[in-house]
Amino acid sequence: MAKIKFIFEELYRSFWGGWLKDILLMAMFCISLVMAVLMCSYYFDLGEREPNEVNYDNSAWYQFGVAFAEDSSQEDYMNSLQTASGCQNMMDYYGALCHSREHPILTICRKEILIEEGEMEALFGEHDFGSFLQEGMGESHSVFDAQGGTCLVWSLKAYAANAGAYRQLGLKAVEGEGFTEESLSIRSAEEGISVLAGYGYKDILSVGQAFEVKGTYGSYRCRVAGILEKGAQFPESDFSGVETVPMDSYILFPTGVQVKEVREGKEGSGGVQVKEGAKDMPVLQELAWGCIQALSSGKGIIRIGRKDRLKQAVEEVRQIGEAYGLPPIKIFGASMGMNLFRKESAVRIRVMMILTIVLSCFTFYGLFVTFYDKIQSNRRVYGIYLMNGCPMGLLLLPCLMEIAVILLPAVFASGYVFTADSVGGGDVRVVLGAAYGLAGAAFLVGAGFLFYLMRGVDTERLIRQKE
């Protein structure tokens, strides 16, 4: 009992004698440990993969889910829809993500195709169209049109996909042509958007037939580019292929359509403005809005040749976002550090890494200097203790406990930061393990330094030494 009392009295005396330095060391270790784990997470890809990583086509490609990040405001994306140049920029941004040779993005999402009553009668004629309607939409309903009025529309079942997803899913057209980069590149917005009809439309729609669709931003033309093979299956929610829906009664809408010619009107402060009533603008807005929906739906994937190339994919996505002035998307399954720093340039991340190393070195230097001073200032006291038979371990234990007390807030801070929903990613246990491991390593370094200072102590010399 006397030994325990002695240990805690020495701990209290040592800590209170340099409490300001110890508190400063606590704060420095908190910052150093958090930043060190974040940097390790970014550069060494800490974290266990979630089930988002699946190799669906039995090739060397690994696939990770993508979507808008929770901390990304869609305002930047929605502002793109206000001008023709903004719409074009949004479509180019999406196209750059999808056409990457190293890390292409494939997207699928639900689509709403609204057709006015008159157009619906002309499209189906005497054919019954009940099986082609969205579930729960068995009757026509009223929507607002671009002129501020209302009109009655029917809602057809539809999905949307880009050319890469079309190929990945193995879809084929028995008539006409399927989705390719070439077929999804149109000369002008008035040319019409190529869509694919399910096999159930075979005797109703013909290849090349055009029809008007009521969109969010106005009416636009669609053109039947092909008829899908009978029994074609499409993922209901993701690319896993576990849950699929038959496409016979669906229309497949393209995302990633590129418009070669954008008719621009007068130049304005908000960008290139399309003239009032121009037919191009609703189509451009619908195409750009489709790109936003495809990225925000969480139904896309990014394909990566090797698992260790994930950091390069994150870097490429960031560079594409910078090139088009839009926030980068989030890659699910990437490490916490990668997603946290996805908006930062490579130069800034390197600067943060250098600062983290410098801060960590300075923190350890502060720890060494602090305990060197403590031991030097207490050398006569330690000498008296040793001369009276006090074991060396009993002197070292309070110092080790003081180091542990200094590191403890850093451990608690890491536990709080890395389990927060706003930061967490992947398997948080791996990240916390890294944090606790680094804290343990810091404790061992400090302990080693103490043993180095106290090794081979000459008690008689300590007694004879003046203060």
Side-chain angles (χ1 to χ4, degrees):
M1 195 66 171
K3 291 182 179 180
I4 296 176
K5 181 181 179 182
F6 171 80
I7 290 172
F8 280 98
E9 285 178 348
E10 279 297 303
L11 172 63
Y12 176 79
R13 184 180 65 81
S14 178
F15 187 88
W16 186 250
W19 65 271
L20 182 58
K21 291 182 180 179
D22 286 350
I23 290 176
L24 288 175
L25 284 172
M26 287 179 181
M28 291 168 66
F29 267 112
C30 285
I31 299 172
S32 298
L33 185 58
V34 170
M35 288 303 299
V37 174
L38 290 177
M39 290 294 103
C40 289
S41 177
Y42 180 83
Y43 283 103
F44 301 111
D45 194 18
L46 292 183
E48 182 178 311
R49 297 287 175 233
E50 299 288 349
N52 297 310
E53 180 192 349
V54 182
N55 188 351
Y56 297 112
D57 54 5
N58 296 318
S59 71
W61 290 91
Y62 293 87
Q63 302 174 161
F64 296 83
V66 298
F68 285 158
E70 295 175 359
D71 60 346
S72 291
S73 171
Q74 290 196 24
E75 184 177 356
D76 292 330
Y77 299 92
M78 297 306 295
N79 287 340
S80 301
L81 305 179
Q82 304 305 313
T83 64
S85 57
C87 291
Q88 187 69 62
N89 184 65
M90 184 66 223
M91 290 186 287
D92 290 343
Y93 168 65
Y94 178 80
L97 291 172
C98 297
H99 298 154
S100 168
R101 178 175 297 181
E102 296 291 332
H103 315 110
I105 287 181
L106 318 179
T107 58
I108 59 174
C109 61
R110 290 187 177 274
K111 181 71 177 179
E112 185 178 47
I113 291 185
L114 303 178
I115 300 182
E116 291 189 54
E117 276 194 325
E119 184 72 16
M120 195 74 167
E121 293 175 1
L123 193 63
F124 282 90
E126 299 298 325
H127 295 88
D128 179 35
F129 51 78
S131 60
F132 301 100
L133 299 177
Q134 289 275 11
E135 294 183 8
M137 293 290 185
E139 298 180 355
S140 61
H141 56 283
S142 178
V143 296
F144 289 100
D145 56 28
Q147 290 72 37
T150 59
C151 61
L152 293 176
V153 297
W154 295 89
S155 181
L156 295 179
K157 292 189 288 189
Y159 271 98
N162 62 1
Y166 177 85
R167 290 192 299 268
Q168 171 77 357
L169 296 171
L171 300 175
K172 296 179 181 178
V174 294
E175 294 184 14
E177 60 179 355
F179 287 163
T180 64
E181 280 74 10
E182 293 75 19
S183 66
L184 298 186
S185 178
I186 59 179
R187 184 183 61 82
S188 68
E190 294 181 356
E191 188 175 312
I193 301 171
S194 298
V195 299
L196 299 178
Y199 193 82
Y201 283 96
K202 188 174 184 298
D203 297 325
I204 301 174
L205 303 179
S206 57
V207 174
Q209 184 175 350
F211 55 94
E212 288 285 324
V213 173
K214 179 69 67 175
T216 305
Y217 298 93
S219 298
Y220 59 93
R221 283 166 54 84
C222 287
R223 180 182 62 86
V224 180
I227 304 293
L228 292 171
E229 64 181 351
K230 187 175 183 179
Q233 298 292 312
F234 198 82
E236 185 174 7
S237 58
D238 54 36
F239 281 86
S240 65
V242 176
E243 297 180 357
T244 61
V245 295
M247 288 295 292
D248 291 349
S249 59
Y250 280 76
I251 288 177
L252 188 59
F253 194 90
T255 55
V257 176
Q258 298 297 306
V259 183
K260 298 178 180 178
E261 174 190 324
V262 178
R263 297 181 184 175
E264 298 169 341
K266 61 184 179 179
E267 192 77 24
S269 59
V272 179
Q273 306 290 337
V274 171
K275 293 178 181 178
E276 186 71 22
K279 294 182 179 181
D280 302 59
M281 193 58 181
V283 182
L284 294 175
Q285 288 175 313
E286 289 296 333
L287 293 174
W289 173 235
C291 295
I292 294 174
Q293 287 181 307
L295 292 176
S296 64
S297 65
K299 305 296 177 60
I301 60 171
I302 185 169
R303 306 185 76 208
I304 298 172
R306 301 200 316 260
K307 285 185 286 187
D308 59 355
R309 298 281 295 178
L310 185 57
K311 188 166 77 72
Q312 287 82 350
V314 174
E315 175 66 22
E316 182 180 15
V317 167
R318 176 173 54 241
Q319 291 176 353
I320 292 174
E322 289 178 353
Y324 292 94
L326 292 168
I329 58 175
K330 178 179 181 179
I331 300 178
F332 296 113
S335 69
M336 171 190 59
M338 290 183 190
N339 276 321
L340 189 64
F341 296 132
R342 72 186 181 282
K343 294 183 181 180
E344 304 296 333
S345 66
V347 174
R348 289 182 178 178
I349 294 174
R350 283 195 291 269
V351 169
M352 284 190 283
M353 182 64 178
I354 293 172
L355 291 176
T356 300
I357 294 174
V358 171
L359 178 61
S360 299
C361 292
F362 187 75
T363 302
F364 275 108
Y365 174 76
L367 180 70
F368 296 155
V369 169
T370 298
F371 277 87
Y372 179 81
D373 290 342
K374 284 177 183 290
I375 291 175
Q376 288 298 103
S377 62
N378 289 293
R379 61 185 182 273
R380 287 182 61 82
V381 175
Y382 292 154
I384 294 172
Y385 287 155
L386 292 171
M387 290 288 290
N388 284 275
C390 179
M392 178 64 73
L394 209 60
L395 294 179
L396 286 173
L397 195 55
C399 296
L400 293 175
M401 291 175 65
E402 188 173 359
I403 294 176
V405 170
I406 291 173
L407 290 172
L408 205 57
V411 173
F412 288 144
S414 299
Y416 172 77
V417 170
F418 299 130
T419 54
D421 293 336
S422 59
V423 179
D427 192 339
V428 71
R429 292 172 299 176
V430 177
V431 179
L432 287 176
Y436 300 153
L438 289 175
F443 177 80
L444 291 176
V445 170
F449 182 70
L450 279 178
F451 281 105
Y452 173 79
L453 291 178
M454 299 293 286
R455 78 192 193 290
V457 174
D458 187 341
T459 55
E460 293 184 4
R461 185 173 64 85
L462 287 175
I463 293 294
R464 291 194 305 267
Q465 215 171 16
K466 295 181 179 181
E467 290 290 344

